[in-house]
Amino acid sequence: PRVRPGQAGPFSFVGQVNITVRCRQDTEVAVLHSSGLRIRGAAAVRGPLPEPGAAVEVAGLRQEAAGETAVLELRGRLRAGRRYVLQLGFQGRLEEDLDGLFLTRYTDQGRSSMLIASQLEPTYARTVYPCFDEPAMKATFNIRIVHDPSYVALSNMPAIDVSEMKDENGSLWTVTTFNTSLKMSTYLTAFVICDFDYVTRTERGNEIRIWARKEAIKNGYVDYALNITGPIFSFLEDLLNVSYPLPKTDLVALPDFGAIAMENWGLMTFQESSLMYLPSDKFTSRKAMIAIIVSHEIGHQWFGNLVTMSWWSDLWLKEGLASYFENLGAIFVEPKLPLDKIFYDHVVQPVLREDNEIGVRSLSESEDKIKGPFSLMSLFDSITYNKGATITWMLSGFLTEKLFIRALTSYLKEFSFSNANQDDLWTHIQMVIDAQDKVQLPAPVKQIMDSWTCQNGFPVLTLNLTTGTITQEQFLNKKNENSTDTYNNTWIIPISWMRNGSSQPLIWLDNSSKVFPEMQVSESEYDWILLNVNLSGYYRVNYDQVNLRRLARLLENDPKAIPAVNRFQLIDDVFALTQFGYIQIETALELTKYLDREDELFIWNMVLLNLVPENLEGTLKNYEVYPLLKKYLLKRMLPIYHYYAGFIRQNVDALEDDYFAQVYLEKLFTTACWLGLQDCLDLSSELYAKWMDNPEYKIPFLIRRTVCCYGVATGSDKEWNFAWEMYNHTDSTKEDKDILLSAMSCLMCLLLQLQVFYNTTLEEDERAAATLLLEFTKVENMERRKLLIKVANWLQKNVDD
């Protein structure tokens, strides 16, 4: 890269690639990937090897932009079975676009600096050097980087030589030569040229260095990441019984990066925020995020780097498995974190909400489809990551973790430094199943798992407890007029279940409908059944009215009789079933009566997501609902609200290990204030006044947005003016400014609330603004209107329960 510190652009890079190939069949052309590169000088073909001086003359070279290829046309013929070296010089532009080889500017210790880094997944290697840019075409790489002497160059392997050279103008450059890489895919080659500092430690012979801006290293921002990286490597080595094959691993915190992180072998790259933990930040939610992201990228060293999918159509084999192992690695280094609940809340539930549209693709697509109209980038989505992880979780559950890990070890050892598809994984799982007799499956592994990976969507199970019948169908929107419901998809479904609090043996539903006599319930109100215990399967459950009534009653009497993740799942399922036309809204609301006894914030967040829209003031259009919702919800929210308000007032630091308080307490408090809870409004005023008295005072981070909003909304012009003053303060961060901007607009929302619900007389200009907002928020959708009337009617009957 021809980049000097402080230089203005435009920038470019030049290079040469020598590719040793074995010819599979006689040919007079050689086709490589090349995109956006200009070929410099004459291309050459040496060989056949090892004949000294032998060469095949190149007649011409043409670039095909559409296919992103460079075609070498030869005067002779390359012979099958012989080896040759393709030599090409090339030149490219160094842009600030975060793809391929890119340049980025940043500030360090008050000085403006530049660095160069790469991001080559999925098909950007061809924009950096001509190559065979497909995951199954693995090679070893000998990399040499020529760079400005004030920078250090990093790549996949350790540097083995650093020397100097002069260019054609007599300018001095540094040449860093790296050791030969292991056999790997082009998308994993990586380059960073920077003037960062690093911290280091060695774990089992693996030298781990974390590179970042000098300021960040000096302040200890990457110490936490350094402390957990080695232990996660060792944990996965021991678990998988496959050693990490590289002598070093660099992790680089990039100030600007398009991905969250990238697993390049030996040189992982991260967004700064994904790797940095500030010693002043007491809260574990930052640690959790860093532990999960670092663990995900380390998981890729086995799933993706060591064994790579044969083609992008099976991308889930690396992303889904890494997304599964990220939780195991994070639990190992942060055992206090509720990572099982985090997994259901952040991974399983979001993909269940996305994976129910007709157009959604399956987890494993046909190669032809991916090579055709499909954009490879669109594969890097929630289906690949979250559904892949959820299916893996389900698979590990019904196999047992012991057998699952044994199968993975066998799979990794057979395909090391090579490629595999999902059938290869199924084969190794089948081998492990066949070699034991404890776990019995109803069908071959391939047949079970293809039903989950090769079909779109997921099933909903409908349970009739009078007959003990369970039926399955694809979960689709019954209200969607375009839906034909002609899919007839059938999954082979493992069903974990409990009866009256006791776990029962796993059963399998392998037809569209099946009778399970053991699931017939008696007349007793206390005889109940719960499916999908601990959310171990990827499906929704539609209970009959008898069982739902019993579950609702159980929740009111003894909510802890149902595991927390199943209470979470029950609420999520019933509201999704309502939304998609399977059950009536009143049925879903019955399951919320117990909430004054619910002490899990992640469950409350699920409730509020369904009952209170994200854009709170938008609900002001529902005149009939708000006063009733206020009375009904506040009564149930008071116990959990007062529990956390106690910490906010007396000892907020005691919440430093409460992950969900850090993630969801804001939503709870915002809702309480929005519903007019006087204590919440008083608390906001109190904390905001403290800040006004002493601008050095820090409003508790967990509810800062709520306090600023309602501190301003319930105050006078003095409070609003203070927010404006702090907004214009030079020290304000972007996040601070966003919070203050939002707070200054809270006043109008409150005025509107007063006019609509308390019939307060407003000044003329205030009334005009409120009316305008009211017009803006009218309900136009008749379906939604009908639903709101149903909610209002139900609340009217139950609000005083």
Side-chain angles (χ1 to χ4, degrees):
R2 293 187 175 272
V3 175
R4 300 286 199 191
Q7 201 178 23
F11 297 104
S12 65
F13 60 90
V14 297
Q16 181 176 310
V17 67
N18 304 325
I19 308 173
T20 307
V21 298
R22 182 181 301 281
C23 186
R24 290 284 182 88
Q25 60 185 58
D26 287 8
T27 181
E28 290 172 356
V29 292
V31 183
L32 301 100
H33 285 112
S34 173
S35 175
L37 296 172
R38 213 155 46 81
I39 302 301
R40 297 172 79 236
V45 178
R46 290 196 289 112
L49 302 180
E51 295 175 20
V56 177
E57 196 179 340
V58 178
L61 184 146
R62 70 175 191 276
Q63 302 246 58
E64 296 186 349
E68 300 186 333
T69 55
V71 181
L72 290 169
E73 291 169 333
L74 311 173
R75 294 202 196 282
R77 182 170 283 211
L78 304 186
R79 299 289 178 188
R82 307 301 297 270
R83 289 187 309 130
Y84 300 85
V85 177
L86 313 180
Q87 292 186 324
L88 293 96
F90 56 90
Q91 180 172 346
R93 286 171 63 87
L94 201 51
E95 307 280 8
E96 297 183 45
D97 58 2
L98 307 181
D99 287 329
L101 192 66
F102 61 89
L103 182 134
T104 187
R105 301 170 196 273
Y106 62 96
T107 303
D108 191 6
Q109 297 179 325
R111 287 198 344 267
S112 179
S113 301
M114 296 188 293
L115 68 77
I116 296 156
S118 63
Q119 169 60 16
L120 305 188
E121 186 182 31
T123 55
Y124 295 113
R126 65 191 68 176
T127 70
V128 182
Y129 58 96
C131 56
F132 294 99
D133 194 15
E134 299 198 5
M137 300 186 84
K138 291 192 170 187
T140 59
F141 294 82
N142 294 293
I143 292 168
R144 190 176 71 167
I145 299 177
V146 182
H147 55 95
D148 183 274
S150 66
Y151 291 134
V152 64
L154 305 172
S155 188
N156 305 83
M157 300 300 288
I160 52 171
D161 183 60
V162 179
S163 59
E164 290 181 343
M165 68 165 266
K166 286 185 178 175
D167 65 14
E168 62 276 10
N169 302 320
S171 299
L172 201 62
W173 296 84
T174 296
V175 182
T176 303
T177 305
F178 300 91
N179 213 340
T180 304
S181 80
L182 301 173
K183 199 174 170 194
M184 64 188 202
S185 307
T186 49
Y187 78 88
L188 290 169
T189 57
F191 322 97
V192 173
I193 300 109
C194 64
D195 65 349
F196 279 180
D197 280 349
Y198 68 89
V199 288
T200 182
R201 69 179 44 177
T202 300
E203 178 98 4
R204 296 185 181 176
N206 175 13
E207 185 193 4
I208 296 164
R209 298 182 296 186
I210 302 196
W211 299 77
R213 290 178 294 112
K214 292 177 168 64
E215 194 173 15
I217 295 290
K218 185 179 162 191
N219 291 335
Y221 295 169
V222 296
D223 292 355
Y224 174 71
L226 183 68
N227 291 341
I228 63 172
T229 299
I232 294 171
F233 264 108
S234 297
F235 166 74
L236 286 175
E237 273 192 330
D238 294 342
L239 181 68
L240 297 167
N241 195 21
V242 177
S243 297
Y244 177 65
L246 291 182
K248 72 92 180 176
T249 307
D250 289 314
L251 291 77
V252 185
L254 298 171
D256 200 6
F257 192 42
I260 291 170
M262 178 62 203
E263 70 267 17
N264 316 298
W265 227 352
L267 180 57
M268 295 187 261
T269 45
F270 296 78
Q271 275 179 12
E272 261 191 5
S273 59
S274 304
L275 210 55
M276 288 191 186
Y277 178 74
L278 278 55
S280 60
D281 184 357
K282 298 185 186 72
F283 296 110
T284 54
S285 54
R286 290 275 314 143
K287 281 186 176 177
M289 185 193 76
I290 294 166
I292 286 168
I293 292 168
V294 169
S295 192
H296 180 98
E297 303 312 323
I298 294 173
H300 274 312
Q301 309 308 299
W302 286 268
F303 301 101
N305 299 9
L306 183 66
V307 178
T308 312
M309 65 278 148
S310 298
W311 182 248
W312 299 104
S313 49
D314 275 334
L315 180 61
W316 82 270
L317 282 180
K318 80 177 185 78
E319 295 301 350
L321 286 164
S323 297
Y324 171 78
F325 280 100
E326 74 187 23
N327 284 282
L328 301 192
I331 286 172
F332 179 72
V333 291
E334 289 293 346
K336 281 195 208 163
L337 285 172
L339 275 154
D340 53 341
K341 294 170 188 170
I342 292 173
F343 183 72
Y344 306 126
D345 186 70
H346 295 5
V347 178
V348 182
Q349 191 266 342
V351 77
L352 280 170
R353 296 209 154 225
E354 282 184 38
D355 192 20
N356 49 35
E357 299 302 326
I358 295 170
V360 172
R361 62 179 179 82
S362 59
L363 189 56
S364 178
E365 288 285 4
S366 70
E367 274 193 39
D368 292 342
K369 185 171 178 182
I370 303 301
K371 281 179 174 168
F374 229 93
S375 155
L376 285 185
M377 287 308 296
S378 66
L379 293 172
F380 291 81
D381 64 0
S382 177
I383 299 295
T384 293
Y385 287 76
N386 291 5
K387 185 173 182 176
T390 304
I391 296 300
T392 305
W393 161 255
M394 180 172 72
L395 174 62
S396 172
F398 71 71
L399 290 176
T400 71
E401 189 176 43
K402 186 179 170 187
L403 291 183
F404 179 54
I405 296 295
R406 191 183 298 168
L408 286 180
T409 301
S410 165
Y411 163 83
L412 288 168
K413 286 184 171 171
E414 174 157 346
F415 296 102
S416 286
F417 308 104
S418 182
N419 298 77
N421 58 37
Q422 70 170 18
D423 281 356
D424 296 318
L425 179 58
W426 307 154
T427 298
H428 281 263
I429 295 172
Q430 191 66 56
M431 282 160 47
V432 165
I433 289 293
D434 293 346
Q436 56 80 59
D437 52 16
K438 279 189 180 171
V439 174
Q440 301 294 320
L441 300 181
V445 171
K446 176 175 166 56
Q447 195 182 333
I448 294 170
M449 292 311 298
D450 280 359
S451 77
W452 295 96
T453 61
C454 298
Q455 296 188 102
N456 297 5
F458 59 88
V460 54
L461 307 191
T462 299
L463 181 60
N464 180 328
L465 291 183
T466 310
T467 60
T469 306
I470 301 181
T471 56
Q472 62 162 298
E473 61 183 302
Q474 184 169 1
F475 185 69
L476 286 171
N477 194 343
K478 288 184 176 291
K479 296 175 181 174
N480 188 338
E481 291 166 15
N482 301 324
S483 170
T484 53
D485 281 343
T486 55
Y487 287 89
N488 296 323
N489 289 0
T490 305
W491 287 261
I492 302 177
I493 307 169
I495 303 174
S496 55
W497 63 295
M498 62 165 59
R499 182 169 193 158
N500 308 333
S502 300
S503 288
Q504 304 296 317
L506 186 77
I507 58 172
W508 289 85
L509 178 64
D510 50 5
N511 291 313
S512 56
S513 181
K514 201 169 181 179
V515 176
F516 296 94
E518 63 270 41
M519 285 205 180
Q520 289 175 306
V521 292
S522 66
E523 296 291 315
S524 165
E525 278 290 306
Y526 301 98
D527 194 7
W528 54 270
I529 278 174
L530 188 79
L531 301 193
N532 205 6
V533 176
N534 285 329
L535 250 173
S536 54
Y538 186 60
Y539 53 87
R540 293 202 184 277
V541 181
N542 182 13
Y543 296 103
D544 61 13
Q545 289 295 322
V546 171
N547 199 51
L548 267 177
R549 268 199 310 276
R550 292 178 186 182
L551 289 174
R553 178 193 168 110
L554 175 68
L555 284 171
E556 289 183 70
N557 293 334
D558 181 14
K560 302 282 172 161
I562 296 177
V565 292
N566 277 101
R567 302 199 299 277
F568 172 84
Q569 178 221 4
L570 267 172
I571 303 254
D572 187 37
D573 278 0
V574 291
F575 279 105
L577 288 161
T578 296
Q579 186 189 346
F580 276 49
Y582 287 82
I583 61 174
Q584 294 298 311
I585 185 67
E586 294 86 347
T587 305
L589 290 166
E590 287 294 326
L591 282 175
T592 66
K593 285 183 175 179
Y594 88 99
L595 283 169
D596 55 343
R597 302 188 63 182
E598 181 53 78
D599 58 5
E600 291 277 5
L601 260 181
F602 84 115
I603 296 174
W604 262 105
N605 184 63
M606 170 62 60
V607 171
L608 297 179
L609 276 179
N610 283 292
L611 286 183
V612 182
E614 271 300 296
N615 187 4
L616 292 181
E617 62 271 20
T619 303
L620 296 170
K621 59 196 173 188
N622 313 332
Y623 323 138
E624 315 91 325
V625 176
Y626 179 88
L628 298 167
L629 190 63
K630 172 180 173 167
K631 200 170 175 187
Y632 180 79
L633 253 186
L634 274 186
K635 181 180 175 183
R636 285 155 179 81
M637 282 175 74
L638 281 175
I640 194 165
Y641 167 81
H642 283 305
Y643 174 78
Y644 281 106
F647 285 107
I648 296 292
R649 283 193 164 100
Q650 288 151 26
N651 183 14
V652 73
D653 289 351
L655 297 176
E656 67 179 63
D657 286 330
D658 188 336
Y659 174 83
F660 285 115
Q662 292 152 50
V663 180
Y664 293 139
L665 195 59
E666 188 90 72
K667 173 81 172 171
L668 185 83
F669 271 65
T670 299
T671 307
C673 281
W674 173 74
L675 289 170
L677 180 62
Q678 196 57 49
D679 188 75
C680 185
L681 298 172
D682 292 346
L683 179 59
S684 298
S685 299
E686 192 182 305
L687 296 175
Y688 192 83
K690 260 190 179 180
W691 185 37
M692 286 174 67
D693 291 342
N694 173 18
E696 295 301 307
Y697 168 73
K698 295 265 189 282
I699 294 172
F701 169 76
L702 304 184
I703 58 165
R704 198 158 51 127
R705 194 172 284 274
T706 307
V707 168
C708 288
C709 171
Y710 287 93
V712 170
T714 58
S716 64
D717 55 349
K718 191 172 70 164
E719 281 75 11
W720 196 95
N721 290 337
F722 180 75
W724 177 243
E725 184 190 329
M726 297 310 287
Y727 176 79
N728 288 306
H729 214 277
T730 48
D731 293 346
S732 294
T733 64
K734 183 181 182 304
E735 188 185 5
D736 290 338
K737 284 182 182 293
D738 286 348
I739 288 172
L740 288 165
L741 199 60
S742 171
M744 287 184 281
S745 69
C746 283
L747 183 59
M748 185 53 70
C749 302
L750 194 70
L751 287 174
L752 178 59
Q753 213 166 329
L754 290 169
Q755 168 155 328
V756 176
F757 301 112
Y758 301 106
N759 219 9
T760 306
T761 305
L762 303 177
E763 295 297 326
E764 193 175 336
D765 58 341
E766 293 172 337
R767 191 164 60 250
T771 308
L772 191 66
L773 272 171
L774 200 58
E775 284 300 311
F776 183 66
T777 56
K778 273 185 179 164
V779 178
E780 287 167 9
N781 181 322
M782 283 311 292
E783 275 300 309
R784 175 103 178 114
R785 186 98 186 128
K786 285 178 197 165
L787 184 70
L788 290 169
I789 290 166
K790 284 185 170 187
V791 172
N793 290 339
W794 187 90
L795 286 168
Q796 192 76 59
K797 290 175 197 160
N798 292 279
V799 81
D800 293 315
D801 280 6

